[in-house]
Amino acid sequence: MRSLKLILLGAPGAGKGTQAEIISGKYNIPAISTGAIIREAIQSGTEMGKNAKSYIDAGALVPDEVVIGIIRERLAKEDCVNGFILDGFPRTVPQAEALEAMGVEITEVLSIEVPDEKILTRMAGRRVCPKCGATFHTEFKPSPAGENCPCGEKLTRRSDDDPEVVAARLETYHAVTEPIKEFYAGKGMLKIVEGQDKLEDTTALVAAALEG
Ligand code: AMP
C-alpha cells in the first residue's frame, strides 16, 4: 500500500477522530490528534498542559508555537516514517505554513464537512474515556460496554463539548481554520467529503476519496 501522509480537516465533531482511527487501522499508520496530546498533558499536569487548559476550556485555540512544537516532536518519531494521519492539525494558516517549512510532505488533504446545526446535536452525544482516550457516541457509535469504556472506565463528556463552548469552537473553526482549505485547494490537494449521518457511510466516502 502506498505511503499516506494525510491531513483531516473539518469542524469539531465532524468525525475526524473516528475516521482517523479507522484509516489508521487500515493503513497501519499512526493517527495523531493534537487535541488528544494536549488533553493527556492536562491530565498528567505538565507545564504545557497547565498553560493550554484555559484555551481549551474557552473553546479557543492553543497558541500556534505550542502546537507546532507538539507536531514537530511527534512527527520525528520512528512510527511516522511510513505515513501518518493528522487529526486537528493544522488549524490555522500559520500552522499549515510551519508544517511545510518543516519539510513535511503531505500526500492528501481531506475535509469532512457537516453543517453546524448537525454538529451541535452530535456533540451532545459524544463520550470519551478519561483513561484510554477512546471516543464513542451514544447514538452513532455506542460503546459495547454501555456507559463504560471497553477498558472498564466510566465514559464522560469532554468539558469542551458543553454547548456554549461548542458554539465558540465552531466560530473559531469558520474564522481561523476554514481558510486552510484555500491554502491546500490552491495547491490542488483538497478533497471534500460530506459527513453522513451513518458512520459507515462516511467511512465509505472517505475510503473512496483516498483511493480515487
Ligand atoms: P480536538 O480534540 O481536536 O477537538 O481539540 C480540542 C482542543 O485542543 C481545541 O479546541 C483547541 O483548544 C486545542 N487544539 C487542538 N489542536 C489544535 C491546533 N492544531 N491548534 C490550536 N489548538 C488546538
Side-chain angles (χ1 to χ4, degrees), residues 10-209:
K16 299 187 297 294
T18 302
Q19 292 303 325
E21 272 176 39
I22 294 170
I23 303 164
S24 165
K26 193 167 162 188
Y27 286 78
N28 196 22
I29 51 176
I32 300 170
S33 155
T34 37
I37 295 173
I38 297 167
R39 280 188 292 279
E40 270 166 39
I42 293 176
Q43 262 209 324
S44 43
T46 68
E47 205 54 36
M48 185 272 275
K50 282 183 203 154
N51 293 333
K53 192 171 182 326
S54 57
Y55 296 99
I56 291 212
D57 288 348
L61 294 183
V62 173
D64 283 342
E65 60 272 20
V66 176
V67 279
I68 291 167
I70 291 174
I71 281 295
R72 180 177 286 120
E73 228 175 78
R74 183 64 189 86
L75 290 181
K77 294 200 174 152
E78 182 65 32
D79 64 342
C80 294
V81 175
N82 294 323
F84 52 79
I85 304 143
L86 295 182
D87 157 20
F89 185 96
R91 251 182 165 100
T92 65
V93 172
Q95 290 178 20
E97 288 167 347
L99 192 62
E100 202 172 56
M102 277 178 222
V104 176
E105 280 179 31
I106 297 299
T107 62
E108 311 271 348
V109 180
L110 192 64
S111 176
I112 304 178
E113 316 231 321
V114 175
D116 284 6
E117 314 79 69
K118 268 197 189 171
I119 298 267
L120 286 162
T121 31
R122 271 194 196 185
M123 299 292 248
R126 190 150 86 160
R127 298 291 179 271
V128 60
C129 173
K131 195 168 156 204
C132 73
T135 59
F136 300 94
H137 193 283
T138 47
E139 191 183 338
F140 305 119
K141 189 188 166 195
S143 165
E147 290 181 9
N148 290 337
C149 180
C151 83
E153 193 76 8
K154 181 144 180 63
L155 293 173
T156 57
R157 228 174 126 179
R158 267 170 57 173
S159 56
D160 61 344
D161 280 351
D162 179 83
E164 272 175 32
V165 183
V166 171
R169 290 167 68 199
L170 280 173
E171 213 176 294
T172 306
Y173 171 74
H174 292 302
V176 186
T177 305
E178 250 191 328
I180 295 182
K181 279 165 47 184
E182 291 305 312
F183 179 88
Y184 290 112
K187 297 175 188 294
M189 293 176 75
L190 182 71
K191 290 182 180 172
I192 292 179
V193 155
E194 302 283 337
Q196 306 295 305
D197 287 338
K198 279 198 185 144
L199 193 165
E200 53 272 30
D201 292 344
T202 307
T203 306
L205 291 178
V206 167

